[in-house]
Amino acid sequence: MPHPVVVPAGPRTGSLRIVHLGLGAFHRAHQAVYLERYRQRSGDTSWGICSANLRSSIALVDGLREAGHRYHVAQFTDSETVTLREIGVIEEALFTGKDKLTGRDGQGRWGRDLEALLARLAAPETRIVTLTVTEKGYFLNPASGMLLFDDPMIAADIAAPEAPRTAPGILVAALARRRARGIAPFTVLSCDNMPDNGRCARHAVVQLAERQDATLADWIEREGAFPSSMVDGIVPAMTEADFTRLSALGIEDPNAVVAEAYLQWVVEDDFPLGRPDWTADGVEMVADVAPFEAMKLRLLNASHSLLAYLGAPEGIETVYEAVSRDDLRALLRRYMLEEAAPTLVMPEGTDLATYAESLLARFANDSLRHRLHQIAMDGSQKLPQRWLIGTSARREKGWESPCIALGLAGWIRYTAGRDTRGNTYVVDDPLAARFADLHARHGQAPEALVGAFLAMDDVVPSALAADADFAEAVLAAYRRLTEQGLDAALAHLT
């Protein structure tokens, strides 16, 4: 049994200058941990957080309220080394999603705490709004970057801007209130895994504002700050086994989170209304986060996706189990060093080979049960930035990408929703219905199926979709994977 180091939370202050949209496990184990460190080190208690859950269960919000807005993060270096942190920097929790427990029609209602959230965002004390709403939470076409105006959620925000349901809609509504009151816009800091995530946030907000008020859109574009950031730290979804493990350590906390000890946060320094002085707590403030974001997306996140789409249909449950296989570990090393690294332009002194080896060591952390099906969620939103941008750059130079060709073959196979043993699973993706239709129509014709997936112009860049040689490589990998199995497909690469 590990002997934990226990770090209690600092005192509550009621001073809230940060609002966070997307109250999930990653936020609680990453941004909140950094701010708790800052609060305890500096003694500055003025940067408390109001965190809002926009879409998922109301239970977490109510659970945090019942616990006095305190919870625990268990940071595992390995199975024997753990730091237990009590986090108290989230001092208010709100819910604006659909509460399925209310409503006479049984359909629930939207926005229980929406007015409280908008009031908090519009308050002059609010300086920064951070986001972890996942790629799909920006409602942008992954290939073109255009706002999905025909999405029902965005359409609802356009029709009723005073009752927004999406993160972009909430930001627009709050910024409209600030502008009307002569209050400068807050800084919007995206913490989602997307290249140029600050630009994506700005693009979503400005495009939506244009549909409501052109002068508001101009004000946001002119006055607003949308720095980009890169976040890193593995935070698996909690399981009953995790709660049992924490119980053995003396922690009975339904709001607890298990994570790896490693954390990284690289942030562009553009905060007109101020920010915490958190560099001493590990936050790296830079002028341009793009190289760091590309490195993380194309090495760490892309490798995770390779494991997910190749491993999950084989019955491999976790990242640890996957990298314990020599052939999958070799695949990741080859992909990172031979396919991804040559597409990256990094600051002087960056050692990509050392970074790649550190990732393999982190993936082999046996204390984390990072499920491959969790990683596989929302692939249509993730793969453009994780795989396809770098692959397009390689194809422009005439370079092959056999690892990604196999990965795409694995993704296409995964979207069928059935593993190699015949068991079914849920394909959790905004385009899941389209995937099911493509498999129903072309499932017995590999060439037509692969062609149809590569022709999805809201996922695959047009130049890559038109690349006949790359399409042939994906088709060959798909045939090999589905007809001969994963072992043979991996052996073919070597």
Side-chain angles (χ1 to χ4, degrees):
M1 172 132 357
H3 300 287
V5 175
V6 180
V7 182
R12 290 171 52 83
T13 68
S15 178
L16 305 181
R17 294 186 180 182
I18 299 175
V19 175
H20 182 80
L21 305 185
L23 175 54
F26 186 82
H27 164 62
R28 287 179 285 139
H30 190 276
Q31 295 92 27
V33 169
Y34 272 108
L35 204 60
E36 186 70 44
R37 285 180 185 174
Y38 166 76
R39 174 180 283 192
Q40 295 191 22
R41 176 192 59 80
S42 67
D44 179 1
T45 58
S46 63
W47 291 94
I49 304 174
C50 165
S51 289
N53 225 348
L54 307 188
R55 298 292 300 276
S56 56
S57 171
I58 196 172
L60 174 59
V61 170
D62 290 343
L64 282 174
R65 289 178 176 179
E66 291 169 7
H69 296 92
R70 292 188 175 234
Y71 65 95
H72 294 83
V73 176
Q75 297 176 307
F76 282 87
T77 302
D78 52 45
S79 59
E80 297 300 320
T81 309
V82 57
T83 298
L84 287 173
R85 294 185 180 275
E86 184 185 40
I87 306 299
V89 74
I90 297 176
E91 300 198 19
E92 183 176 54
L94 303 174
F95 181 74
T96 68
K98 191 173 185 179
D99 179 358
K100 296 180 181 179
L101 301 179
T102 62
R104 294 181 180 179
D105 59 1
Q107 299 301 309
R109 66 178 181 185
W110 282 92
R112 182 189 71 179
D113 301 323
L114 177 60
E115 180 53 39
L117 175 60
L118 292 176
R120 177 69 67 187
L121 288 165
E125 294 79 15
T126 297
R127 312 292 178 83
I128 300 171
V129 178
T130 54
L131 296 91
T132 52
V133 294
T134 75
E135 297 88 343
K136 65 184 177 183
Y138 295 80
F139 294 88
L140 296 173
N141 181 307
S144 70
M146 296 300 295
L147 192 66
L148 300 173
F149 290 109
D150 57 349
D151 185 280
M153 296 280 285
I154 291 295
D157 282 1
I158 294 173
E162 72 285 352
R165 299 179 179 182
T166 70
I170 289 169
L171 293 174
V172 170
L175 287 167
R177 291 190 183 192
R178 292 176 76 98
R179 176 171 173 261
R181 298 171 187 174
I183 303 171
F186 42 65
T187 296
V188 178
L189 178 62
S190 172
C191 303
D192 284 296
N193 285 320
M194 302 183 295
D196 297 325
N197 51 17
R199 179 188 59 80
C200 291
R202 178 191 292 271
H203 206 38
V205 169
V206 170
Q207 285 187 76
L208 184 56
E210 285 174 343
R211 288 296 181 97
Q212 300 176 11
D213 182 343
T215 61
L216 172 63
D218 290 342
W219 179 76
I220 296 171
E221 185 72 73
R222 184 177 65 255
E223 303 290 338
F226 293 79
S228 292
S229 76
M230 184 272 270
V231 295
D232 193 1
I234 297 172
V235 185
M238 291 293 286
T239 66
E240 286 303 317
D242 291 320
F243 287 113
T244 299
R245 182 165 43 158
L246 293 181
S247 180
L249 297 174
I251 299 297
E252 303 290 345
D253 182 356
N255 306 310
V257 184
V258 167
E260 68 170 337
Y262 179 90
L263 285 177
Q264 187 179 19
W265 197 5
V266 185
V267 181
E268 289 178 351
D269 201 356
D270 183 14
F271 293 83
L273 301 185
R275 60 166 174 81
D277 184 15
W278 50 27
T279 54
D281 308 288
V283 180
E284 302 171 63
M285 306 304 300
V286 299
D288 182 11
V289 79
F292 301 95
E293 186 66 51
M295 178 183 71
K296 191 239 179 176
L297 283 166
R298 297 185 199 175
L299 296 182
L300 188 157
N301 297 120
S303 294
H304 266 169
S305 291
L306 281 171
L307 295 181
Y309 296 123
L310 294 174
E314 302 290 325
I316 303 173
E317 186 177 354
T318 67
V319 170
Y320 168 72
E321 293 172 22
V323 297
S324 296
R325 284 183 48 151
D326 290 341
D327 52 1
L328 285 172
R329 193 179 183 92
L331 169 71
L332 296 192
R333 184 176 283 111
R334 174 176 177 178
Y335 162 72
M336 287 191 282
L337 297 181
E338 296 182 19
E339 289 191 22
T343 71
L344 298 170
V345 180
M346 301 302 300
E348 185 176 353
T350 304
D351 188 336
L352 292 177
T354 298
Y355 180 68
E357 291 302 322
S358 74
L359 292 180
L360 293 175
R362 290 169 60 193
F363 294 169
N365 185 342
D366 62 353
S367 66
L368 301 178
R369 293 189 55 78
H370 199 182
R371 296 181 63 252
L372 296 185
H373 279 296
Q374 178 191 358
I375 295 169
M377 292 170 56
D378 301 331
S380 65
Q381 312 298 298
K382 296 174 179 177
L383 295 189
Q385 51 265 25
R386 295 186 180 193
W387 289 355
L388 303 182
I389 293 175
T391 301
S392 295
R394 290 183 62 83
R395 295 302 300 154
E396 289 175 3
K397 297 177 181 293
W399 299 345
E400 296 182 347
S401 300
C403 296
I404 291 303
L406 177 59
L408 281 169
W411 172 61
I412 294 170
R413 180 181 69 158
Y414 180 89
T415 59
R418 186 178 300 273
D419 67 21
T420 57
R421 296 169 176 80
N423 302 311
T424 60
Y425 50 82
V426 174
V427 178
D428 194 337
D429 191 287
L431 304 185
R434 284 172 61 186
F435 298 158
D437 178 64
L438 292 179
H439 281 284
R441 287 193 284 132
H442 306 301
Q444 304 305 313
E447 186 170 0
L449 181 66
V450 170
F453 269 85
L454 293 181
M456 298 177 72
D457 59 7
D458 49 353
V459 178
V460 181
S462 57
L464 199 59
D467 188 326
D469 290 340
F470 182 69
E472 183 59 36
V474 176
L475 176 60
Y478 181 81
R479 291 186 184 277
R480 196 171 293 113
L481 185 62
T482 55
E483 296 172 7
Q484 302 176 38
L486 178 61
D487 293 351
L490 292 172
H492 179 78
L493 287 180
T494 59

